[in-house]
């Protein structure tokens, strides 16, 4: 457990980066975790195929908030094409805590990525299986 | 520390092999029995014995093993009947769990008795299992649903009940004990009121049958649903009890083997109760082991179990009151309240609370506990819940409180 609440996670969850919403986002998407009722919304500003600004909002556990905070840092300046194929492994590596054997917390960690992908692909529903394995 | 005088909890714990282990280097304090309880040796052995010694299908073979299995399966039905004070074992239908028992009533009884314009009355504290089947029935039939409100402490508003329980209501479906709030509802009174307007009453006993004496005749209810796995029994087995006259008049639920009398090509005649409602091969070993669980609980005494949990609850309410920023959702006293304690901790998300407690070897549940409407009522997305059972100790309550202090400091 103490593994899970490293300084970085606590820091990002207490003081998340890019928290809030955008006035007129190019893409805005909220995803919901039916297991615990948490939600994360991602707002993206896209200019010429590049993510120029990004915010997230919502509520959730330290893992989901820290993960969203870390992801938004990554996304700023990223090409949309790259963001579309951003791998969950990369996000998990950023988070840096062992979640592979913890399917419940994995869902928390990947909620922001799910919102990003669903927003960028404009699909109605990204099936949960995409995040499990 | 509270002294728990009612029975020898340490001796009792030795009957639960799973409790003898360490989690994250600490002895396991299992405080999630509201989700599913642990199993005593005798229940595990009953399952094992069935599969090793007399595994065979029931009601089908004329050979020794099948006779023995049938005898044990039907004897288990009798044990369950006795455990809940049923007047006949024919009133006991084995299902998979509470959820299936409620769905059985919604399809079979509901299909035959609920019409467009009829009202079905629920409460704001129901588990999704006692909401969704009624929504589906309402959609099929054109009936409407209504919910009795609760007050800030999580008690049913009896004024609201008077307002809503009027002629036109055909069914009142209510939990005897909330899995989140711990609130114990006055179901005998509710049964009387329901009957006075010509409604039937279904009691969700998932959280009451494991924890307190429940006597269906004393309660005067029409249906009672509960799960084996929350009362020291295995998963995959649950019970629907209903009054004989109601069952006799009810059409079947699932069709198939065992529930028929004569099958012709066009139609069939159905078996009597309870066989009519037990299509297909049942969970034989699980039913037998549930019978064993009933004997085990009855042997300790449901009054003593309730008393033990009341003492734990009292101690937990005291200890948690001193944790800064902790808010209990549900009654703040032990009066008419069972030992499920849900709470929020300011500044710490329930998932994080549960993960930090897990690190201390304390297993609790975090989430909405299958009660989204109730959580919406309190305007919280999720809570952390500690729920106690026969094998829990005051020392485990103290470890819970210490873990919560740790969580609070970490997120300060
Ligand atoms: C009050 C209540 N009703 C119904 C259920 C559903 O039980 P099961 O999942 O065994 O069908 C539960 C258990 O989660 C419960 O606590």
């Amino acid at each position: 457990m103490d593994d899970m609440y490293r300084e970085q996670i606590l820091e990002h969850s207490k003081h998340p980066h890019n928290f809030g919403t955008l006035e007129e986002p190019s893409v805005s998407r909220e995803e919901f975790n039916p297991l615990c009722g948490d939600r994360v919304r991602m707002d993206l500003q896209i200019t010429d195929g590049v993510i120029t600004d990004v915010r997230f909002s919502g509520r959730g556990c330290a893992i989901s908030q820290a993960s969203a905070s870390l992801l938004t840092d990554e996304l700023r300046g990223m090409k949309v094409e790259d963001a579309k194929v951003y791998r969950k492994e990369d996000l998990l590596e950023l988070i840096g805590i062992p979640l592979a054997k913890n399917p419940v917390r994995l869902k928390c960690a990947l909620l922001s990525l799910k919102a990003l992908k669903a927003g960028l692909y404009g699909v109605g529903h990204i099936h949960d299986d995409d995040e499990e394995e | 520390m509270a002294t728990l005088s009612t029975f020898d909890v340490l001796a009792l714990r030795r009957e639960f092999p799973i409790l003898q282990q360490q989690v994250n280097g600490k002895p396991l304090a299992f405080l999630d029995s509201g989700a599913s309880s642990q199993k005593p040796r005798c229940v595990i052995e009953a399952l094992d014995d069935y599969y090793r010694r007399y595994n065979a299908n029931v009601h089908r073979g004329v050979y020794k093993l099948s006779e023995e299995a049938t005898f044990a399966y039907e004897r288990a039905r009798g044990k369950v009947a006795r455990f809940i004070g049923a007047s006949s074992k024919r009133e006991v239908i084995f299902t998979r769990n509470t959820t299936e028992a409620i769905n059985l009533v919604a399809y079979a009884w509901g299909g035959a008795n609920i019409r467009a314009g009829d009202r079905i009355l629920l409460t704001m504290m129901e588990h999704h299992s006692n909401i969704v089947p009624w929504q589906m029935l309402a959609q099929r039939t054109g009936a409407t649903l209504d919910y009795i409100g609760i007050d800030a402490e999580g008690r049913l508003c009896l004024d609201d009940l008077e307002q809503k329980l009027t002629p036109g209501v055909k069914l009142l479906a209510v939990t005897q004990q909330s899995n989140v709030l711990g609130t114990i509802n006055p179901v005998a009174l509710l049964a009387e009121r329901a009957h006075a307007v010509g409604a039937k009453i279904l009691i969700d006993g998932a959280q009451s049958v494991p924890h307190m004496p429940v006597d269906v005749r004393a309660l005067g209810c029409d249906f009672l649903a509960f799960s084996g796995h929350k009362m020291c029994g295995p998963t995959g087995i649950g019970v629907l009890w209903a009054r004989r006259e109601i069952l006799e008049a009810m059409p079947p639920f699932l069709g198939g083997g065992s529930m028929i009398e004569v099958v012709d090509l066009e139609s069939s005649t159905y078996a009597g109760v309870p066989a009519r409602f037990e299509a297909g091969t049942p969970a034989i070993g699980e039913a037998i082991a549930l019978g064993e669980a009933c004997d085990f609980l009855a042997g300790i005494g449901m009054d003593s179990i309730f008393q033990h949990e009341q003492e734990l609850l009292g101690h937990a309410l005291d200890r948690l009151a001193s944790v800064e920023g902790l808010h209990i959702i549900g009654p703040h006293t032990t009066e008419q309240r069972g030992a499920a304690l849900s709470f929020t901790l300011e500044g710490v998300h329930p998932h994080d609370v549960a993960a930090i407690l897990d690190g201390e070897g304390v297993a609790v549940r975090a989430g909405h506990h299958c009660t989204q409407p109730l959580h919406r009522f309190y305007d919280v997305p999720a809570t952390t819940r500690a729920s106690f059972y026969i094998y829990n100790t005051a020392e485990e309550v103290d470890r819970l409180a210490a873990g919560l202090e740790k969580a609070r400091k970490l997120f300060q």
Side-chain angles (χ1 to χ4, degrees), chain B residues 97-99 127 129 175 177 179 204 206-207 227 229-230:
Chain B
N97 46 37
T98 305
T99 303
H127 188 282
S129 297
T175 188
Q177 183 187 306
N179 63 318
D204 175 349
Q207 296 292 340
S227 297
H229 69 95
K230 293 182 198 283

Side-chain angles (χ1 to χ4, degrees), chain A residues 49-68:
Chain A
V50 172
I51 297 173
T52 51
D53 204 359
V54 52
R55 294 282 189 284
F56 84 96
S57 54
R59 59 191 183 196
C61 62
I63 308 296
S64 78
Q65 299 296 292
S67 146

Side-chain angles (χ1 to χ4, degrees), chain A residues 1-2 4-5 9-10 13-14 32-39 59-64 102 104-105 108, chain B residues 24 349-353 355-360 366-369 372 379-382 406 409-412:
Chain A
M1 180 287 305
D2 291 324
M4 205 178 275
Y5 295 98
I9 296 291
L10 288 173
S13 78
K14 289 179 200 170
F32 185 69
N33 181 348
L35 279 178
C36 56
D38 289 345
R39 35 182 98 233
R59 59 191 183 196
C61 62
I63 308 296
S64 78
N102 197 332
V104 175
R105 297 317 293 277
C108 305
Chain B
N24 293 319
H349 189 280
H351 270 175
D352 298 318
V353 173
I356 290 161
L357 288 171
D358 181 51
E360 303 299 310
H368 52 57
H369 322 297
Q372 288 182 14
D379 197 25
V380 289
K406 179 170 177 174
K409 294 215 177 76
L410 199 59
F411 277 85
Q412 224 160 33

Side-chain angles (χ1 to χ4, degrees), chain B residues 67-221:
Chain B
E67 281 169 6
E68 198 176 338
T70 304
F71 178 78
Y73 180 71
E74 290 304 326
R75 188 179 51 192
R77 195 190 303 282
K79 289 179 181 192
V80 171
R82 224 172 303 126
F83 188 71
I84 56 170
S87 28
S88 157
K89 60 183 262 187
R90 285 182 178 275
E91 297 182 331
V92 170
I93 297 161
F94 285 122
T95 63
R96 273 191 307 145
N97 46 37
T98 305
T99 303
E100 188 178 84
I102 295 175
N103 276 278
L104 194 165
V105 177
Y107 277 91
W109 180 84
N113 291 281
I114 298 291
R115 300 272 166 273
D118 287 347
R119 284 160 57 222
I120 299 167
L121 192 54
L122 312 173
T123 82
M124 279 302 291
M125 64 174 91
E126 298 309 313
H127 188 282
H128 295 166
S129 297
N130 200 26
I131 298 177
V132 183
W134 307 118
Q135 290 174 339
M136 291 164 68
L137 175 64
Q139 279 157 11
R140 285 196 300 274
T141 58
T144 56
L145 299 183
D146 209 349
Y147 294 83
I148 305 169
I150 57 175
D151 65 19
E153 261 227 325
R155 304 266 184 207
L156 271 191
C157 293
L158 294 179
D159 289 348
D160 201 35
L161 168 80
E162 302 296 339
Q163 295 273 318
K164 290 175 178 159
L165 185 54
T166 51
V169 172
K170 288 291 156 61
L171 178 76
L172 171 60
V174 56
T175 188
Q176 188 170 11
Q177 183 187 306
S178 161
N179 63 318
V180 174
L181 306 164
T183 309
I184 297 173
N185 288 317
V187 286
L189 172 85
L190 297 177
E192 214 180 286
R193 294 293 165 82
H195 292 149
V197 299
K200 297 274 185 281
I201 179 168
L202 175 141
I203 294 177
D204 175 349
Q207 296 292 340
S208 57
V209 174
H211 300 282
M212 65 181 80
V214 172
D215 182 307
V216 287
R217 277 180 293 175
L219 294 179
C221 57

Side-chain angles (χ1 to χ4, degrees), chain B residues 6 16 32 36 45 61 76 88 98 112 130 157 162 212 245 247 259 271 303 333 350 363 380 389 394 408:
Chain B
T6 31
F16 290 80
D32 193 23
S36 197
E45 281 167 2
S88 157
T98 305
N130 200 26
C157 293
E162 302 296 339
M212 65 181 80
E245 326 64 284
L247 289 177
M259 53 75 73
D303 282 308
T333 66
V380 289
Y389 206 20
R408 199 179 57 79

